């Protein structure tokens, strides 16, 4: 068995979750077992909630978050988001340590750290305790330097141009 990688997709550009899902799509082609834990997006409906079901049983999606924190329609107190993020850490550790998955994707975990919902120390501890043969993928903007330092691969998505700048709203199948 090969040593598992730590992969980080970060940056202000679009495509971090999409890159992780592309990796998962490729891996399912090789009968790899994947679990994706979503730290932020849980309360909204978005395309990957349905499309990933088509990849079962090799792909498991666990949407835990209460939705994006601090945006216009977020009515949840920060404490609620913190509680859910801590539960996401617990579940993530459980899934990583289970030995059932070749790849575990921690979607939007970098945002959860940046918003102080969870600590970077909890993330580092989780990374360092992963089984040797498990690949971990961490997504979300604002990846902390400590995470970048121990990662094997870091890709920064850079926004050059976005339809939102022209007043074009998020599009089904493209943005969610």
């Amino acid at each position: 068995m090969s040593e598992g990688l730590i992969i980080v997709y970060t940056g202000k550009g679009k495509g971090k979750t999409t890159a992780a899902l592309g990796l998962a799509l490729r891996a399912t082609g090789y009968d790899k077992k994947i679990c994706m834990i979503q730290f932020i997006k849980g309360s909204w409906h978005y395309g990957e909630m349905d499309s990933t079901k088509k990849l079962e049983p090799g792909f498991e999606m666990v949407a835990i978050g209460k939705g994006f924190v601090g945006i216009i329609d977020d009515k949840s107190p920060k404490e609620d988001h913190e509680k859910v993020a801590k539960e996401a850490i617990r579940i993530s550790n459980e899934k990583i340590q289970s030995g059932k998955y070749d790849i575990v994707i921690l979607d939007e975990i970098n945002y959860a750290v940046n918003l102080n919902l969870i600590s970077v120390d909890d993330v580092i501890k989780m990374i360092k305790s992963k089984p040797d043969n498990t690949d971990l993928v961490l997504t979300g903007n604002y990846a902390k330097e400590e995470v970048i330092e121990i990662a094997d691969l870091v890709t920064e998505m850079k926004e050059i141009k976005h339809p939102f700048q022209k007043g074009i709203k998020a599009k089904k199948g493209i943005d969610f």
Side-chain angles (χ1 to χ4, degrees), residues 14 20 35 55 97 104 121 130-131 141 152:
K14 180 178 167 15
C35 181
L55 298 176
Q97 297 303 323
V104 177
D121 291 338
K130 77 168 190 64
N141 199 5
D152 298 297

Side-chain angles (χ1 to χ4, degrees), residues 29-75:
Y30 290 101
D31 294 323
K32 300 282 187 184
K33 303 293 182 221
I34 299 108
C35 181
M36 181 175 202
I37 296 121
Q38 294 195 306
F39 277 71
I40 303 285
K41 297 177 184 168
S43 69
W44 291 7
H45 184 84
Y46 36 92
E48 59 261 35
M49 292 178 83
D50 299 323
S51 62
T52 55
K53 288 179 182 159
K54 297 175 182 179
L55 298 176
E56 292 175 353
F59 188 106
E60 178 186 357
M61 166 84 84
V62 182
I64 301 172
K66 291 183 64 60
F68 288 98
V69 183
I71 61 171
I72 295 168
D73 62 351
D74 176 23
K75 302 204 181 350

Side-chain angles (χ1 to χ4, degrees), residues 7 24 29 35 161:
I7 299 168
C35 181
K161 190 176 183 181

Side-chain angles (χ1 to χ4, degrees), residues 102-171:
D102 300 296
I103 302 168
V104 177
I105 300 168
L106 306 171
D107 190 39
E108 308 289 5
I109 193 168
N110 295 327
Y111 284 121
V113 171
N114 188 62
L115 292 166
N116 295 311
L117 303 178
I118 55 174
S119 76
V120 70
D121 291 338
D122 287 340
V123 175
I124 298 297
K125 191 183 313 178
M126 184 166 39
I127 291 170
K128 288 186 174 181
S129 69
K130 77 168 190 64
D132 289 339
N133 61 336
T134 302
D135 295 301
L136 277 184
V137 180
L138 296 84
T139 76
N141 199 5
Y142 309 107
K144 296 294 184 193
E145 195 56 43
E146 301 94 319
V147 172
I148 291 170
E149 186 67 32
I150 62 174
D152 298 297
L153 183 150
V154 178
T155 298
E156 180 178 7
M157 309 307 190
K158 180 180 174 188
E159 182 179 306
I160 305 295
K161 190 176 183 181
H162 195 289
F164 186 75
Q165 295 162 341
K166 293 182 189 177
I168 299 171
K169 303 274 188 229
K171 187 174 177 183

